[in-house]
């Protein structure tokens, strides 16, 4: 993290002489660090792919931490400036150790209020592999003092590992997570056990695999012990036992492993004092072999079958130590298995005219090493062609989804075989381009056979086939129509509901599988939830029945803002089918405001404020979200809004935006609904801010309409109701207001600019007239002298009146000032110009 983003430094840390196991003289051995010169000096690195970084606190530099935090140099994370769930990782250098060693460190998790600042996780990555779950962690407030923990990592050269300190911010976002004084010691840990080397385990698929972890050190009864998979999965311990007072063993069992379980595993133990972790051992799962191809038939006779095993191509793992042939009658339940040591095998003493299923079994070393049987070879010993076709089928029973069929008894004189197949084949066509054809083998000894899983109300074609290995005979087809059944569900995609405030329009389509003739539709509905807590939702469901040809219905007199659950089902003569459900929510209604018509809600009025009585609204379909007070400036040429029929102010406009954008209204306040449980006064113009809206003082010389509106908002729907509750007329006298110097200067500059422009224009006009009339002035000067003086007198009087009127207009604005008053205008010298033709006299004064 960039140090510039941290708060300003407020104190200077000094080295504490009481630091636990600290060293002020420098770094520890390779891999250790005291952070006196920062993590980089110890070859520690921040993770490039985490959310933020650990921060180095130096004893030689000021820091921003509270004074009760420990002094010195260490690494820290401030949870208050990060989002929950964000993580920072500090990576130690990769370590290749040849002998037993121990890593210990100091840590603390502190918050001034005792809250949970987050979690400190310790992860160990082996051979630059993926990050597994933490091998040790601590969560919650641990106090302001440093605590020590140890890591006993049993990973040795040529393997390498890397320890990673990870700080994870909690939801409280308060407090600090810190680490310090990391040591790599050349002797065993005292508080965490060291695991002996964990060996690889090899089993056949489907068998149980057991890892046995042996550790040296004192076993704590309450220590957590588990088997950690490289991909992050944790397996709980199955059994532990103490070998002696300094050594214990733990067993982990993986049930019925498959190829997906083949991975690297390691043993982990954790306590408050630290953690021990073993090396990664591999679980090797061997797949028992299985032939890819079925055995090949080389010869056939009435009592034998000659096959070739085809066991060279397999699925699974070798080596193969045993080959077996498994065979059985297809119509029987017994199975025989023969061991085979040759590529071909001859099955003797078989029944004639019998179908057999032959498979090959392969076995590899180890328990459970026999694979599944390979693909079957189904064949039959020789027999003769049947004599004739079966007679016409006799239909014994017809139901909606099944047909029972009778046939004549078939003896050897017809089949010409002791074993034969009697098959019923059927096919049918259905709507929506649905068709099916299938054949079912029947038991020749049964007098009746059932063809089931048929569609209702459908024509099904049936025929019987007599087959042996040498030929077949077929009967004529018989067409049967299945009976009606209850209809299928109404298609969920066809259900569509159109919402209004107090009604819902629901339409649907016929079931895809009517299974007969539809007689009616039944719709039951009930309210299940509502945005309005006043709406009862526990009432009994209501039911509506519609004719067979109805595909829509309008449900009236519903509550606004309420979700209704509809169940629609169709019926045939067999009854109702399954119901299809849909949830539809009515639109919310605008809140109902009390009737202000004909009633002035004004309680008190001053020159810059008006106090009105606000009365709470009644919610309709959704709770009140907010109340808003809207101020509209009255203009003489603007059409007045009618109370009760007006359109509400949907777009919130602040006073500043209305001034700059020319809006005729602005929001003076927005009040939470909890602020108005009962009628209460509110002062418009009290110069306060409500929910980000400034309520400025009203201008005395202006008139205003005061509107009160209530808003209900749920999800993406908002409804607003408003009413005019008061009107403030413009004041006849302006109160004395101290002018704003900034605005006064701005007005003076504008007035001075306008006045200067007028004077320049008049000057140019007089110069032009002077040049044109110069030749005539001398001749008529005497005659026009009297009249010109009289005209000058009138003009001066008119100018005085003009300035007086201008001063009167500016007096309406307390911040205005006239140009003459500002500059103490007075003539320094006067040049008189006489116009002889018009008997006029012009006087121009220059400053």
């Amino acid at each position: 993290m960039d140090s510039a983003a941290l708060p300003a430094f407020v104190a200077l840390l000094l080295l504490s002489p009481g630091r636990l196991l600290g060293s002020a003289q420098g770094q520890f051995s390779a891999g250790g660090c005291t952070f006196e010169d920062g993590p980089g000096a110890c070859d520690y690195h921040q993770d490039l792919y985490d959310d933020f970084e650990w921060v180095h606190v130096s004893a030689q530099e000021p820091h921003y931490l509270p004074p009760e935090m420990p002094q010195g140099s260490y690494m820290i994370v401030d949870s208050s400036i990060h989002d929950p769930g964000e993580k920072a990782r500090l990576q130690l250098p990769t370590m290749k150790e040849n002998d037993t060693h121990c890593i210990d460190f100091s840590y603390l998790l502190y918050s001034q209020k005792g809250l949970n600042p987050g979690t400190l996780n310790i992860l160990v990555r082996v051979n630059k592999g993926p990050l597994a779950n933490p091998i040790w962690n601590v969560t919650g407030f641990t106090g302001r003092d440093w605590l020590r923990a140890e890591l006993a990592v049993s990973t040795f050269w040529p393997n390498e590992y890397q320890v990673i300190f990870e700080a994870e911010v909690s939801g409280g976002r308060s407090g600090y997570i810190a680490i310090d004084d990391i040591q790599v010691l050349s002797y065993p840990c005292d508080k965490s056990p060291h695991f002996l080397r964990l060996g690889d385990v090899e089993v056949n698929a489907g068998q149980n695999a057991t890892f046995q972890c042996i550790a040296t050190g004192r076993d704590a009864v309450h220590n957590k012990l588990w088997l950690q998979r490289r991909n992050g999965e944790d397996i709980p311990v199955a059994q532990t036992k103490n070998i002696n007072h300094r050594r214990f063993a733990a067993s982990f069992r993986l049930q019925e492993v498959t190829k997906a379980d083949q991975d690297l595993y390691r043993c982990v133990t954790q306590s408050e004092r630290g953690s021990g972790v073993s090396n990664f051992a591999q679980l090797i799962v061997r797949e028992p072999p299985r032939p890819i191809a079925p055995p090949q038939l080389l010869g056939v006779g009435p009592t034998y079958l000659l096959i070739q095993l085809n066991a060279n191509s397999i699925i699974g793992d070798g080596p193969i130590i045993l080959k077996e042939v498994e065979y059985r009658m297809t119509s029987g339940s017994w199975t025989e298995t023969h061991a085979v040591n040759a590529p071909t095998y001859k099955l003797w003493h078989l029944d004639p005219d019998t179908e057999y299923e032959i498979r090959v079994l392969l076995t590899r070393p180890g328990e459970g090493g026999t694979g599944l049987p390979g693909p079957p070879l189904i064949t039959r010993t020789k027999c003769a062609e049947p004599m004739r076709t079966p007679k016409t089928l006799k239909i014994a029973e017809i139901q909606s989804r099944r047909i029972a069929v009778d046939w004549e008894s078939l003896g050897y004189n017809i089949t010409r075989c002791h074993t034969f197949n009697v098959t019923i084949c059927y096919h049918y066509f259905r709507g929506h381009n649905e068709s099916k054809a299938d054949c079912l083998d029947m038991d020749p000894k049964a007098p009746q056979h059932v063809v089931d899983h048929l569609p209702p109300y459908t024509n099904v074609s049936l025929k019987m086939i007599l087959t042996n290995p040498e030929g077949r005979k077929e009967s004529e087809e018989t067409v049967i129509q299945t009976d009606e059944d209850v209809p299928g569900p109404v298609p969920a995609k066809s259900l569509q509901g159109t919402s209004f405030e107090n009604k819902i329009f629901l339409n649907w389509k016929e079931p895809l599988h009517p299974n007969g003739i539809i007689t009616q539709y039944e719709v039951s509905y009930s309210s299940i939830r509502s945005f309005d807590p006043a709406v009862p939702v526990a009432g009994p469901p209501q039911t509506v029945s519609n004719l067979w040809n109805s595909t829509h219905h309008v449900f009236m007199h519903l509550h606004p803002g309420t979700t209704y659950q509809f169940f629609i089902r169709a019926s045939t003569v067999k009854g109702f089918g399954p119901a299809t459900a849909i949830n539809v929510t009515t639109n919310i209604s605008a809140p109902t405001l009390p009737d202000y018509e004909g009633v002035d809600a004004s309680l008190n009025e001053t020159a810059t404020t008006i106090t009105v009585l606000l009365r709470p609204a009644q919610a309709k379909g959704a709770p009140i979200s907010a109340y808003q007070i809207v101020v509209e400036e009255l203009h003489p040429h603007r059409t007045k809004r009618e109370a009760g029929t007006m359109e509400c102010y949907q777009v919130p406009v602040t006073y500043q935006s209305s001034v700059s954008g020319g809006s005729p209204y602005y929001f003076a306040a927005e009040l939470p609904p909890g602020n108005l449980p009962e009628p209460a006064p509110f002062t418009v113009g009290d110069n306060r801010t409500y929910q980000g809206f400034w309520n400025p003082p009203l201008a005395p010389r202006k008139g205003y309409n005061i509107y009160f509106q209530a808003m209900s908002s749920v999800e993406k729907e908002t409804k607003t109701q408003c009413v005019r509750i008061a009107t403030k007329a413009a004041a006849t006298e302006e109160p004395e207001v101290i002018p704003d110097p900034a605005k006064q200067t701005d007005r003076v500059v504008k007035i001075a600019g306008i006045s200067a422009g007028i004077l320049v224009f008049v000057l140019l006009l007089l110069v032009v007239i002077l040049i044109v009339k110069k030749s005539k002035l001398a001749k008529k000067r005497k005659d026009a002298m009297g009249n010109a003086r009289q005209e000058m007198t009138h003009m001066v009087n008119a100018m005085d009146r003009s300035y007086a009127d201008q001063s009167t207009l500016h007096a309406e604005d307390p911040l205005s000032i006239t140009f003459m008053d500002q500059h103490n205008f007075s003539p320094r010298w006067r040049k008189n110009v006489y116009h002889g033709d018009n008997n006029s006299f012009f006087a121009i004064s220059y400053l």
Side-chain angles (χ1 to χ4, degrees), residues 25 86 150 170 196 208 321 355 459 506 510 536 549 557 581 617 652 667 673 701 722 725 772 783:
Q25 284 77 25
E86 290 190 332
E150 296 178 337
S170 67
L196 301 184
N208 298 333
I321 61 174
E355 186 178 67
N459 291 329
L506 186 69
E510 184 182 84
N549 58 350
H557 309 297
F667 279 36
R701 289 289 188 172
C722 54
I725 59 175
V772 174
D783 296 335

mmCIF file of all heavy atoms in Angstrom, residues 25 86 150 170 196 208 321 355 459 506 510 536 549 557 581 617 652 667 673 701 722 725 772 783:
data_model
loop_
_atom_site.group_PDB
_atom_site.id
_atom_site.type_symbol
_atom_site.label_atom_id
_atom_site.label_comp_id
_atom_site.label_asym_id
_atom_site.label_seq_id
_atom_site.Cartn_x
_atom_site.Cartn_y
_atom_site.Cartn_z
ATOM 1 N N GLN A 25 19.653 -5.647 17.303
ATOM 2 C CA GLN A 25 20.958 -5.528 16.652
ATOM 3 C C GLN A 25 20.901 -5.856 15.174
ATOM 4 O O GLN A 25 21.825 -5.600 14.446
ATOM 5 C CB GLN A 25 21.959 -6.475 17.337
ATOM 6 C CG GLN A 25 22.450 -5.958 18.682
ATOM 7 C CD GLN A 25 21.426 -6.158 19.761
ATOM 8 O OE1 GLN A 25 20.603 -7.038 19.662
ATOM 9 N NE2 GLN A 25 21.470 -5.316 20.784
ATOM 10 N N GLU A 86 -11.173 -8.490 2.172
ATOM 11 C CA GLU A 86 -9.938 -8.202 1.445
ATOM 12 C C GLU A 86 -8.738 -8.796 2.194
ATOM 13 O O GLU A 86 -8.734 -8.891 3.419
ATOM 14 C CB GLU A 86 -9.760 -6.695 1.265
ATOM 15 C CG GLU A 86 -10.745 -6.082 0.285
ATOM 16 C CD GLU A 86 -10.405 -4.644 -0.052
ATOM 17 O OE1 GLU A 86 -9.786 -3.964 0.793
ATOM 18 O OE2 GLU A 86 -10.743 -4.203 -1.147
ATOM 19 N N GLU A 150 4.663 -20.996 16.792
ATOM 20 C CA GLU A 150 5.713 -21.740 16.106
ATOM 21 C C GLU A 150 5.144 -22.490 14.925
ATOM 22 O O GLU A 150 3.984 -22.912 14.930
ATOM 23 C CB GLU A 150 6.348 -22.757 17.065
ATOM 24 C CG GLU A 150 7.067 -22.142 18.241
ATOM 25 C CD GLU A 150 7.622 -23.211 19.167
ATOM 26 O OE1 GLU A 150 7.097 -24.356 19.147
ATOM 27 O OE2 GLU A 150 8.573 -22.912 19.887
ATOM 28 N N SER A 170 -12.025 -8.422 8.650
ATOM 29 C CA SER A 170 -13.330 -8.930 9.077
ATOM 30 C C SER A 170 -14.417 -7.928 8.729
ATOM 31 O O SER A 170 -14.160 -6.816 8.265
ATOM 32 C CB SER A 170 -13.310 -9.200 10.585
ATOM 33 O OG SER A 170 -13.193 -7.967 11.284
ATOM 34 N N LEU A 196 7.183 -36.923 11.007
ATOM 35 C CA LEU A 196 8.140 -37.713 10.244
ATOM 36 C C LEU A 196 7.716 -37.730 8.778
ATOM 37 O O LEU A 196 6.608 -37.336 8.430
ATOM 38 C CB LEU A 196 8.210 -39.137 10.791
ATOM 39 C CG LEU A 196 8.614 -39.281 12.276
ATOM 40 C CD1 LEU A 196 8.738 -40.740 12.643
ATOM 41 C CD2 LEU A 196 9.919 -38.546 12.553
ATOM 42 N N ASN A 208 -10.311 -48.428 0.109
ATOM 43 C CA ASN A 208 -10.043 -47.378 1.091
ATOM 44 C C ASN A 208 -8.534 -47.130 1.169
ATOM 45 O O ASN A 208 -7.740 -48.071 1.186
ATOM 46 C CB ASN A 208 -10.567 -47.775 2.461
ATOM 47 C CG ASN A 208 -12.072 -47.964 2.460
ATOM 48 O OD1 ASN A 208 -12.769 -47.355 1.654
ATOM 49 N ND2 ASN A 208 -12.568 -48.802 3.356
ATOM 50 N N ILE A 321 -2.214 -60.060 -13.855
ATOM 51 C CA ILE A 321 -1.701 -61.302 -13.263
ATOM 52 C C ILE A 321 -2.691 -62.453 -13.407
ATOM 53 O O ILE A 321 -2.341 -63.599 -13.112
ATOM 54 C CB ILE A 321 -1.364 -61.093 -11.783
ATOM 55 C CG1 ILE A 321 -2.619 -60.686 -10.992
ATOM 56 C CG2 ILE A 321 -0.266 -60.055 -11.615
ATOM 57 C CD1 ILE A 321 -2.395 -60.608 -9.491
ATOM 58 N N GLU A 355 -29.084 -69.052 -25.433
ATOM 59 C CA GLU A 355 -28.315 -67.809 -25.587
ATOM 60 C C GLU A 355 -27.416 -67.622 -24.369
ATOM 61 O O GLU A 355 -27.850 -67.778 -23.228
ATOM 62 C CB GLU A 355 -29.252 -66.607 -25.732
ATOM 63 C CG GLU A 355 -28.536 -65.308 -26.034
ATOM 64 C CD GLU A 355 -29.503 -64.152 -26.221
ATOM 65 O OE1 GLU A 355 -30.145 -63.776 -25.213
ATOM 66 O OE2 GLU A 355 -29.610 -63.654 -27.341
ATOM 67 N N ASN A 459 -53.099 -44.182 -30.431
ATOM 68 C CA ASN A 459 -53.159 -45.430 -31.192
ATOM 69 C C ASN A 459 -51.779 -46.081 -31.181
ATOM 70 O O ASN A 459 -50.786 -45.474 -31.597
ATOM 71 C CB ASN A 459 -53.597 -45.171 -32.620
ATOM 72 C CG ASN A 459 -55.056 -44.746 -32.702
ATOM 73 O OD1 ASN A 459 -55.876 -45.162 -31.883
ATOM 74 N ND2 ASN A 459 -55.406 -43.924 -33.687
ATOM 75 N N LEU A 506 -54.420 -13.215 -16.033
ATOM 76 C CA LEU A 506 -53.634 -14.448 -16.159
ATOM 77 C C LEU A 506 -54.090 -15.198 -17.397
ATOM 78 O O LEU A 506 -55.294 -15.412 -17.597
ATOM 79 C CB LEU A 506 -53.825 -15.319 -14.913
ATOM 80 C CG LEU A 506 -52.965 -16.578 -14.818
ATOM 81 C CD1 LEU A 506 -51.508 -16.185 -14.606
ATOM 82 C CD2 LEU A 506 -53.436 -17.471 -13.673
ATOM 83 N N GLU A 510 -53.055 -24.755 -23.414
ATOM 84 C CA GLU A 510 -53.437 -26.140 -23.124
ATOM 85 C C GLU A 510 -52.200 -26.969 -22.793
ATOM 86 O O GLU A 510 -51.111 -26.719 -23.304
ATOM 87 C CB GLU A 510 -54.168 -26.727 -24.338
ATOM 88 C CG GLU A 510 -54.704 -28.128 -24.119
ATOM 89 C CD GLU A 510 -55.378 -28.680 -25.372
ATOM 90 O OE1 GLU A 510 -54.659 -29.219 -26.235
ATOM 91 O OE2 GLU A 510 -56.609 -28.564 -25.480
ATOM 92 N N PRO A 536 -53.527 -8.895 5.138
ATOM 93 C CA PRO A 536 -53.479 -10.281 5.656
ATOM 94 C C PRO A 536 -53.086 -11.242 4.546
ATOM 95 O O PRO A 536 -53.608 -11.189 3.436
ATOM 96 C CB PRO A 536 -54.919 -10.526 6.128
ATOM 97 C CG PRO A 536 -55.757 -9.599 5.303
ATOM 98 C CD PRO A 536 -54.901 -8.378 5.025
ATOM 99 N N ASN A 549 -62.437 -24.432 -23.038
ATOM 100 C CA ASN A 549 -61.830 -23.592 -24.074
ATOM 101 C C ASN A 549 -61.348 -22.252 -23.543
ATOM 102 O O ASN A 549 -61.000 -21.362 -24.316
ATOM 103 C CB ASN A 549 -62.833 -23.363 -25.200
ATOM 104 C CG ASN A 549 -64.126 -22.704 -24.697
ATOM 105 O OD1 ASN A 549 -64.342 -22.594 -23.502
ATOM 106 N ND2 ASN A 549 -64.984 -22.291 -25.628
ATOM 107 N N HIS A 557 -60.363 -7.399 -7.340
ATOM 108 C CA HIS A 557 -60.447 -7.084 -5.902
ATOM 109 C C HIS A 557 -59.230 -7.631 -5.137
ATOM 110 O O HIS A 557 -59.368 -8.251 -4.074
ATOM 111 C CB HIS A 557 -61.740 -7.632 -5.312
ATOM 112 C CG HIS A 557 -62.970 -7.246 -6.074
ATOM 113 N ND1 HIS A 557 -63.381 -5.931 -6.211
ATOM 114 C CD2 HIS A 557 -63.857 -8.007 -6.783
ATOM 115 C CE1 HIS A 557 -64.478 -5.890 -6.948
ATOM 116 N NE2 HIS A 557 -64.788 -7.136 -7.321
ATOM 117 N N ALA A 581 -47.609 -23.813 -10.982
ATOM 118 C CA ALA A 581 -47.658 -22.636 -10.105
ATOM 119 C C ALA A 581 -46.965 -21.450 -10.756
ATOM 120 O O ALA A 581 -46.013 -21.608 -11.528
ATOM 121 C CB ALA A 581 -47.017 -22.937 -8.758
ATOM 122 N N ALA A 617 -49.247 9.878 5.995
ATOM 123 C CA ALA A 617 -50.031 9.287 4.921
ATOM 124 C C ALA A 617 -50.380 7.846 5.249
ATOM 125 O O ALA A 617 -49.798 7.223 6.140
ATOM 126 C CB ALA A 617 -49.257 9.362 3.605
ATOM 127 N N PRO A 652 -36.136 14.826 -7.687
ATOM 128 C CA PRO A 652 -35.704 15.686 -6.573
ATOM 129 C C PRO A 652 -34.699 16.734 -7.049
ATOM 130 O O PRO A 652 -33.721 16.414 -7.706
ATOM 131 C CB PRO A 652 -35.070 14.699 -5.594
ATOM 132 C CG PRO A 652 -34.654 13.537 -6.428
ATOM 133 C CD PRO A 652 -35.636 13.450 -7.557
ATOM 134 N N PHE A 667 -36.705 20.844 -3.569
ATOM 135 C CA PHE A 667 -37.038 20.023 -2.405
ATOM 136 C C PHE A 667 -36.415 20.686 -1.172
ATOM 137 O O PHE A 667 -35.201 20.817 -1.086
ATOM 138 C CB PHE A 667 -36.500 18.598 -2.549
ATOM 139 C CG PHE A 667 -37.375 17.709 -3.388
ATOM 140 C CD1 PHE A 667 -38.049 18.203 -4.498
ATOM 141 C CD2 PHE A 667 -37.534 16.372 -3.060
ATOM 142 C CE1 PHE A 667 -38.840 17.390 -5.272
ATOM 143 C CE2 PHE A 667 -38.322 15.544 -3.822
ATOM 144 C CZ PHE A 667 -38.985 16.062 -4.945
ATOM 145 N N PRO A 673 -39.955 7.987 7.133
ATOM 146 C CA PRO A 673 -41.326 7.787 7.628
ATOM 147 C C PRO A 673 -41.388 7.703 9.138
ATOM 148 O O PRO A 673 -42.412 8.036 9.730
ATOM 149 C CB PRO A 673 -41.748 6.473 6.951
ATOM 150 C CG PRO A 673 -40.473 5.800 6.562
ATOM 151 C CD PRO A 673 -39.524 6.896 6.258
ATOM 152 N N ARG A 701 -40.135 38.889 -0.667
ATOM 153 C CA ARG A 701 -40.831 39.542 -1.780
ATOM 154 C C ARG A 701 -41.431 38.548 -2.770
ATOM 155 O O ARG A 701 -41.934 38.953 -3.799
ATOM 156 C CB ARG A 701 -39.848 40.467 -2.512
ATOM 157 C CG ARG A 701 -39.471 41.705 -1.722
ATOM 158 C CD ARG A 701 -40.615 42.693 -1.615
ATOM 159 N NE ARG A 701 -40.224 43.967 -1.015
ATOM 160 C CZ ARG A 701 -41.013 45.035 -0.952
ATOM 161 N NH1 ARG A 701 -42.224 44.956 -1.461
ATOM 162 N NH2 ARG A 701 -40.594 46.144 -0.372
ATOM 163 N N CYS A 722 -49.080 13.540 -3.742
ATOM 164 C CA CYS A 722 -48.720 14.853 -3.207
ATOM 165 C C CYS A 722 -49.964 15.725 -3.109
ATOM 166 O O CYS A 722 -50.986 15.464 -3.756
ATOM 167 C CB CYS A 722 -47.650 15.515 -4.081
ATOM 168 S SG CYS A 722 -48.112 15.621 -5.813
ATOM 169 N N ILE A 725 -50.376 22.080 0.578
ATOM 170 C CA ILE A 725 -50.870 22.241 1.945
ATOM 171 C C ILE A 725 -50.869 23.702 2.393
ATOM 172 O O ILE A 725 -51.505 24.020 3.403
ATOM 173 C CB ILE A 725 -50.040 21.392 2.921
ATOM 174 C CG1 ILE A 725 -48.565 21.786 2.866
ATOM 175 C CG2 ILE A 725 -50.197 19.919 2.609
ATOM 176 C CD1 ILE A 725 -47.713 21.057 3.895
ATOM 177 N N VAL A 772 -22.793 67.437 -37.648
ATOM 178 C CA VAL A 772 -23.770 67.716 -38.723
ATOM 179 C C VAL A 772 -24.345 69.119 -38.582
ATOM 180 O O VAL A 772 -24.559 69.849 -39.566
ATOM 181 C CB VAL A 772 -24.879 66.654 -38.694
ATOM 182 C CG1 VAL A 772 -25.975 66.992 -39.683
ATOM 183 C CG2 VAL A 772 -24.296 65.275 -39.012
ATOM 184 N N ASP A 783 -31.281 82.844 -30.597
ATOM 185 C CA ASP A 783 -32.733 82.603 -30.519
ATOM 186 C C ASP A 783 -33.046 81.363 -29.656
ATOM 187 O O ASP A 783 -34.073 81.301 -29.000
ATOM 188 C CB ASP A 783 -33.312 82.404 -31.912
ATOM 189 C CG ASP A 783 -33.174 83.656 -32.771
ATOM 190 O OD1 ASP A 783 -33.100 84.751 -32.172
ATOM 191 O OD2 ASP A 783 -33.156 83.510 -34.010
#
